[in-house]
Structures are given as C-alpha cells and as structure tokens.
Amino acid sequence: MNIMDFNVKKLAADAGTFLSRAVQFTEEKLGQAEKTEFDAHLENLLSKAECTKHWTEKIMKQTEVLLQPNPSKELNTYARIEEFVYEKLDRKAPSRMNNPELLGQYMVDSGNEFGPGTAYGNALIKCGETQKRIGAADRELIQTAAINFLTPLRNFIEGDYKTITKERKLLQNKRLDLDAAKTRLKKAKAAEARAASEQEVRIAQSEFDRQAEITRLLLEGISSTHAHHLRCLNDFVEAQMTYYAQCYQYMLDLQKQLGSFPSTVLANHNQSSSTCAPSSSTTTPSASVTASLSSITNSAASSSFVELKSASGSRKARVLYDYDAANSSELSLLADEVITVYSIPGMDSDWLMGERGNQKGKVPITYLELLN
C-alpha cells in the first residue's frame, strides 16, 4: 500500500466517523436516538469548570480596566501598536507617564513658571511632586497585580482550561461514537452483523470510559485552581492595601505642607490690588467659603500667638512656607529657616516683626510656627 492509498483510506474513514457522529447528534436533538448521560459527579465537575472559566474571565478583564483605565480608544490603539513593534524588534517599549505622573509634571512646570517663591507656585510644586509619587505607587500596584494576580488567572484561561476544553471535546466525540455503535447494534439483523456491532460497542465503551476518566481527573484539579487563585487574591488585596496606604500618607504629608494656604493667599490678596475682588454688593459662594476659612484659620493662628503679642520679648519661629515680600516693609522668607519674631504696639493682628541677621520686616503669622 502506497502513501496515497493510505491517505485516501484515512480520509474516507474520518469522513465516515464524522458522518456517523453528525447523524447521531441530529437524531438525539430530534429525540429519535438515545443518549448516554454522564454520571452526576462528572456533570457537577463540568458545571464547576464552566462557572470558574466564566467568572475568571470577568474578574480578569475588569481588574485590567480598574488598573489601567483609558477612555481614549485612539491612544489605546497607538499604545498597542507601539508595544507590538517593540516586541517584534525584541526591544523593551519605553515607559510612558501615567495620568497622576503627567498631572504632577504639569503642576511642577506651572509652579516653576509662576515662581517657586510665590504661595501658589510653591503649592503647585508640592502638589505636583505628591501626584508624581502617587503615579509611581500606581505603577508599582499595576506591576505587582499583573505578576501576582492577573498572570495566574490568564494562565488558567489560556492553559488549563484550554486543555480541559480539548479533552471535553474528545469525550463528547467518544460518547457520540458509543451511541452511534449502540444504534447500529439495535438495527443489526444478521448474526454476523450483530457480532461485529457488539465488538464495536465494547471498543467504543472502553474508549469512552477511558476518556471520561481523563476528563474527570483534569476537572478535579479545579479545586486546586481555586486554592491557588485564593492565594493570588490575597496578594492582590495586599498590593492594594499598600497602594492606598501610600496614597493616604502622601496626601496627609501634602496637607501638612500646604497648611493654611487659603487664608494666607486671601491675606496677601487683600493687601495687593483689589482689581480682581468682587464688588461689595455681590458676594460669590466661593468668596464666602474663602472668607469663612480665613476667619477660622486666623482665629486659630491668633490664639497661638496671644502670649507673644502680650509680652515684650521675642521668640524663635520656624518658617513653614516660602514668602515673597510685597513691599520694603516686609521680610521675605524661606521655608524651614528659623527667624526671630516679636510684636510692636499698633501692629495688625495677622503680622509680626521678623529679624534675620541685619534684615528685619513684617511677616505673616500664618507662615510661622513658634518654637519652644
């Protein structure tokens, strides 16, 4: 027998098997043929595998959306094309700024443009640096979650479950072969034909049982998969906990650095040109809120300096923020420097006299922290 004859016979046998399965499947759907049912344990395992696959895919996809939201389809398509090109070139794609990092960079750049010595410029720089730290923490969360959570879930979908699907399909084919053989046995009349059909049923039954056992063993591994995914879920929660704790600490530190910026900005604004101030007949909601914040903060600051203002002595004070003098009667300040402060009769309640070496001038108390 040459190779061509062998291939022709194999194709004919495959065609016959396919036709037999198709006929059996059609007759089962029409209720004209009996169907061998899987045992209850195997059916439960199959159901559990389907459920695991369904929810694993949903959790995996939504986790990806949570970690890397991107409303711009065009940008997302460009990023995928770029990653594909670098992958083909066997090179690592350059890392791009994420959203918090990009916002932080804009804030830092604008703060430097407005002037780091100004209250607003200084605040923008501090906020920008914090946003960049949050961006770095966000990048770390994405990397950790991808390795410890998303990758195991994806490996199950693309690996273990594909193997289960393949073996399940083989089991279905073996069942169709078995039921088709049983149908032919029922239709056989002659003794010789019945003997051949009985032999065919025995072989088909043996192959079906063997494939059912293989499929069952694979499906029983789903419980181990759940246990593994539980450990991965714990890793994901821990990564999120670390990320949110970092973000909270960063924002807490930023809040302490900014301190009473709203009230000091208002105080400086009131001493400068009133061009941008609203008329006395019109008070906007934002102005009311700012005025309330100013009143509360100034009251707290004043109470902290009552002892100094009522005494005739001087105290050391640490400068909280950079301050640019508005005129020659004021003293410019640098954050974290220590100066000497004291009060003089008739001075506004929001101000003290400050000295640094031979330099002296008025300084706003909201920029100061008295030292013991």
Side-chain angles (χ1 to χ4, degrees):
M1 181 186 299
N2 57 37
I3 295 177
M4 183 173 293
D5 292 337
F6 175 79
N7 289 337
V8 170
K9 289 185 177 181
K10 186 175 184 304
L11 287 173
D14 291 342
T17 300
F18 176 79
L19 181 61
S20 175
R21 289 171 180 169
V23 170
Q24 177 65 29
F25 183 79
T26 302
E27 290 180 346
E28 286 176 359
K29 290 297 181 182
L30 296 175
Q32 298 175 352
E34 294 183 7
K35 175 183 176 181
T36 300
E37 300 291 344
F38 300 141
D39 64 73
H41 178 57
L42 184 58
E43 286 286 1
N44 287 335
L45 290 175
L46 288 169
S47 177
K48 185 177 181 180
E50 280 290 335
C51 185
T52 301
K53 181 252 187 184
H54 171 75
W55 287 111
T56 299
E57 283 184 330
K58 277 187 168 294
I59 292 171
M60 183 176 69
K61 289 178 181 178
Q62 193 57 38
T63 302
E64 291 173 342
V65 172
L66 172 69
L67 294 175
Q68 290 185 306
N70 191 354
S72 172
K73 292 184 179 179
E74 293 78 8
L75 181 60
N76 191 36
T77 301
Y78 171 78
R80 290 182 181 276
I81 293 174
E82 184 184 44
E83 290 173 359
F84 175 78
V85 171
Y86 275 96
E87 182 180 348
K88 290 302 180 183
L89 294 175
D90 197 22
R91 293 173 59 186
K92 184 178 180 181
S95 60
R96 291 181 295 275
M97 282 189 175
N98 55 28
N99 291 333
E101 289 173 326
L102 194 57
L103 173 60
Q105 191 60 54
Y106 288 162
M107 286 182 168
V108 170
D109 291 344
S110 62
N112 286 322
E113 184 73 20
F114 297 146
T118 65
Y120 183 44
N122 188 22
L124 278 170
I125 292 173
K126 291 182 184 300
C127 287
E129 289 171 348
T130 299
Q131 290 296 330
K132 291 168 79 171
R133 291 191 189 99
I134 290 175
D138 184 62
R139 192 184 300 278
E140 179 65 23
L141 170 64
I142 292 173
Q143 182 179 5
T144 302
I147 295 172
N148 296 337
F149 186 60
L150 287 175
T151 297
L153 265 59
R154 187 175 292 109
N155 286 343
F156 167 73
I157 296 297
E158 298 178 356
D160 294 351
Y161 193 79
K162 278 191 175 181
T163 302
I164 289 174
T165 301
K166 177 183 175 183
E167 296 301 328
R168 182 179 180 177
K169 185 177 179 180
L170 286 174
L171 177 62
Q172 182 72 359
N173 289 337
K174 296 299 181 183
R175 185 196 65 76
L176 290 170
D177 290 345
L178 173 60
D179 289 338
K182 289 178 178 179
T183 299
R184 285 192 291 272
L185 175 60
K186 288 182 179 180
K187 293 178 179 180
K189 301 298 182 182
E192 184 178 344
R194 286 188 62 81
S197 295
E198 287 174 353
Q199 176 66 15
E200 183 183 7
V201 168
R202 284 193 293 272
I203 294 173
Q205 183 70 58
S206 175
E207 291 181 351
F208 170 76
D209 292 342
R210 178 175 175 276
Q211 186 58 40
E213 181 65 15
I214 292 173
T215 306
R216 182 185 63 79
L217 290 173
L218 283 173
L219 291 170
E220 287 177 346
I222 292 292
S223 296
S224 298
T225 298
H226 284 192
H228 178 50
H229 287 181
L230 174 58
R231 292 192 294 272
C232 297
L233 181 62
N234 286 331
D235 291 339
F236 178 51
V237 170
E238 185 175 347
Q240 281 188 305
M241 182 181 68
T242 300
Y243 168 71
Y244 289 120
Q246 286 177 322
C247 291
Y248 174 75
Q249 189 60 51
Y250 292 153
M251 297 309 296
L252 196 64
D253 293 342
L254 176 62
Q255 186 183 46
K256 290 178 181 178
Q257 291 179 56
L258 294 182
S260 56
F261 266 23
S263 62
T264 55
V265 169
L266 181 64
N268 292 339
H269 174 74
N270 289 339
Q271 292 189 22
S272 62
S273 173
S274 60
T275 305
C276 298
S279 64
S280 58
S281 61
T282 305
T283 303
T284 63
S286 60
S288 299
V289 172
T290 307
S292 299
L293 285 173
S294 175
S295 176
I296 293 169
T297 309
N298 286 340
S299 176
S302 296
S303 63
S304 301
F305 287 82
V306 167
E307 182 182 351
L308 177 60
K309 285 182 172 294
S310 62
S312 57
S314 62
R315 291 275 296 276
K316 294 292 186 183
R318 184 175 69 87
V319 177
L320 298 175
Y321 322 106
D322 293 344
Y323 175 75
D324 281 344
N327 51 56
S328 60
S329 68
E330 298 179 7
L331 180 66
S332 294
L333 303 174
L334 294 174
D336 293 325
E337 70 171 325
V338 177
I339 63 173
T340 302
V341 294
Y342 56 91
S343 180
I344 59 176
M347 177 170 282
D348 188 282
S349 61
D350 291 335
W351 297 79
L352 288 171
M353 288 298 295
E355 287 188 1
R356 182 202 303 113
N358 296 326
Q359 298 176 318
K360 66 169 59 177
K362 294 193 303 180
V363 293
I365 62 175
T366 48
Y367 277 71
L368 304 173
E369 177 186 25
L370 289 178
L371 301 177
N372 294 329

